Amino acid sequence: MIRTATAADVPVIHSMVRELADYEKALHEANATEEQLHEALFGERPAAYAHIAESDEDGEIVGFALWFLNFSTWRGVHGIYLEDLYVRPDRRGGGHGKALLRELARICVERGYERLEWSVLNWNAPSIAFYESLGARPQDEWTVYRLTDGALAELGG
């Protein structure tokens, strides 16, 4: 079952964000607090949205998708950028990840959004194979750039 996240889900979402960061070998970079996540999802001006995957058997939360709106100047409409998609390792293969992506695709279609986009680490072969099995294609002509920490402060200061 897929449902919209509630404020009560923030602790488990935060825990799964940390699990994902650990899987991606970057736990040391996952500094967001539960309070920050709560504000981003449920504050006065939400910056992001989340959906929860619950097990049909026992109702346990087994995964989540956290996303926000982007905008295409070429298409003139919003799209969804999927920041995190995570299903706990012992629950993978049960269709939860596909159900989460299906829900985001449904939202795109319903609202007239023309893109559902995300990034995946080059070494994450199981996820790449999963995404490609759904019809997703890599945008390998683009390279992602990022400013953080000292470089961001220097440019912005």
Side-chain angles (χ1 to χ4, degrees):
M1 181 179 95
I2 305 302
R3 64 173 175 78
T4 302
T6 67
D9 295 318
V10 169
V12 72
I13 293 171
H14 183 261
S15 175
M16 288 189 290
V17 165
R18 295 191 54 77
E19 290 172 29
L20 175 59
D22 189 41
Y23 172 77
E24 292 183 349
K25 302 172 180 65
L27 183 57
H28 62 282
E29 295 180 35
N31 300 320
T33 65
E34 285 185 27
E35 293 76 19
Q36 288 173 313
L37 191 56
H38 184 277
E39 181 64 25
L41 293 171
F42 302 104
E44 188 175 320
R45 294 180 54 196
Y49 308 91
H51 283 78
I52 297 293
E54 290 182 342
S55 168
D56 291 335
E57 296 88 39
D58 58 16
E60 180 183 347
I61 295 174
V62 299
F64 78 103
L66 194 144
W67 56 277
F68 55 88
L69 295 178
N70 58 17
F71 184 80
S72 169
T73 57
W74 289 12
R75 297 202 174 213
V77 296
H78 281 294
I80 287 178
Y81 185 83
L82 175 60
E83 179 66 20
D84 287 335
L85 176 69
Y86 182 73
V87 175
R88 290 196 155 135
D90 63 332
R91 299 302 187 109
R92 292 182 186 154
H96 304 294
K98 185 175 184 179
L100 285 163
L101 284 170
R102 180 178 286 126
E103 176 62 9
L104 297 186
R106 185 196 66 74
I107 291 168
C108 286
V109 170
E110 177 183 274
R111 298 181 186 177
Y113 302 162
E114 295 189 15
R115 291 181 178 167
L116 172 55
E117 297 180 313
W118 61 92
S119 297
V120 60
L121 291 165
N122 293 333
W123 56 260
N124 193 345
S127 292
I128 292 168
F130 167 63
Y131 298 142
E132 290 183 352
S133 77
L134 300 176
R137 295 294 170 249
Q139 301 299 298
D140 53 11
E141 67 272 12
W142 294 89
T143 300
V144 176
Y145 281 83
R146 178 178 295 156
L147 281 171
T148 62
D149 303 324
L152 179 62
E154 185 177 331
L155 185 62

